Amino acid sequence: ELSMNAGAGGIGDGHPALQDVRVRQAIAHAVDKETIVDRAYNGLAEPADAMSPSPDRTWVPEIEEPFEFDLEQAKQILDDAGYEDTDGNGVREMPGGGEELTFRWAVRTESDVAQPIYELVSGSLSEIGIETEIETYNDTQLGPVIGRGEWDLFVWGWTPFVDPDPQLSYFTCDQVSTDPEDPLNYYNDANWCNEDYDALYEEQNQELDRDRRVEIVHEMRRLFYDEAAYA
């Protein structure tokens, strides 16, 4: 996944624009998954819409209006949200002027695909008026950086369990990092918090009817998808 720092933890120095769901949705529209599969993975991958909480695809909902790769739509979202390039240098600024939309992208040196994905997606982001600055870390270094909220974007991944509950639990509000002195005491690596998601998590955790539980999980996945903390 491409993770975006939604800023819920209140610590660190994540870019304030990423707290705006519209900016995250615009970025999601700038991710060309098919090209990533072809060039970064040599065709040995499959694009996904929602995050998979389990290898059992029963738990993955059908996304009715996916974030298709569409740079014009991404530009329109940013235009409508008031992110304009007022000085003509090709980089948009926060509404009303001020800080440019220049995001730090943490590239993992231990990943064979991290650098190619960065190059592909950052090129698209530049076309919609978002610049990126590359920072490189090995996996041991990047974990604490994420926990301290000192990042904007990165690409990583998860290996889900058989049951969806653990993966779902990682994005509850109590898993957001809030202590910069203990930056590994977290799982929510998108710094994203939503009370409706938390309520649905508790409901599915107690639901004994499997079909109903699948429905609840699908609601959670759609909510997480729409909020675009991950692409």
Side-chain angles (χ1 to χ4, degrees):
E1 83 282 346
L2 169 61
S3 184
M4 313 181 209
N5 187 350
I11 62 173
D13 56 0
H15 198 293
L18 290 173
Q19 297 177 29
D20 186 342
V21 64
R22 297 168 297 182
V23 173
R24 302 196 302 267
Q25 290 172 341
I27 291 173
H29 277 295
V31 177
D32 186 350
K33 299 176 186 177
E34 295 290 348
T35 298
I36 289 172
V37 166
D38 290 342
R39 297 186 183 177
Y41 290 93
N42 294 316
L44 302 176
E46 184 175 331
D49 287 324
M51 181 184 60
S52 301
S54 164
D56 179 357
R57 293 188 65 83
T58 301
W59 301 101
V60 181
E62 294 293 329
I63 302 297
E64 296 175 358
E65 296 182 4
F67 293 122
E68 300 287 359
F69 177 59
D70 188 334
L71 297 183
E72 292 306 313
Q73 186 168 358
K75 292 175 185 177
Q76 190 63 57
I77 291 172
L78 294 172
D79 288 344
D80 292 344
Y83 294 89
E84 300 177 349
D85 174 17
T86 59
D87 59 8
N89 70 346
V91 183
R92 297 174 186 264
E93 300 111 29
M94 295 288 290
E99 188 172 1
E100 292 186 338
L101 269 59
T102 300
F103 302 145
R104 296 161 299 177
W105 187 310
V107 171
R108 297 167 50 233
T109 58
E110 296 176 52
S111 167
D112 292 335
V113 298
Q115 181 70 29
I117 290 174
Y118 165 76
E119 292 172 2
L120 291 168
V121 179
S122 63
S124 295
L125 293 180
S126 181
E127 290 189 44
I128 66 172
I130 294 176
E131 285 298 295
T132 54
E133 297 176 343
I134 190 171
E135 298 180 348
T136 57
Y137 302 93
N138 64 37
D139 290 356
T140 301
Q141 295 169 326
L142 183 54
V145 170
I146 297 170
R148 291 193 297 268
E150 298 171 347
W151 60 283
D152 295 316
L153 306 168
F154 67 83
V155 170
W156 212 330
W158 292 94
T159 301
F161 292 84
V162 173
D163 188 89
D165 188 89
Q167 187 74 44
L168 297 172
S169 73
Y170 301 156
F171 300 98
T172 54
C173 294
D174 64 3
Q175 293 297 323
V176 173
S177 178
T178 58
D179 184 359
E181 300 302 319
D182 188 11
L184 291 179
N185 187 27
Y186 74 96
Y187 278 104
N188 190 329
D189 65 356
N191 283 345
W192 175 81
C193 172
N194 185 286
E195 293 180 358
D196 292 336
Y197 179 95
D198 281 17
L200 289 167
Y201 170 75
E202 294 297 334
E203 185 178 353
Q204 69 80 31
N205 180 266
Q206 304 299 317
E207 181 56 63
L208 299 179
D209 181 272
R210 188 180 188 282
D211 290 342
R212 174 54 187 152
R213 186 178 177 218
V214 169
E215 291 178 1
I216 299 168
V217 171
H218 284 190
E219 289 183 56
M220 297 175 67
R221 308 316 317 134
R222 291 190 185 98
L223 174 59
F224 187 77
Y225 180 84
D226 290 341
E227 286 282 307
Y230 270 7

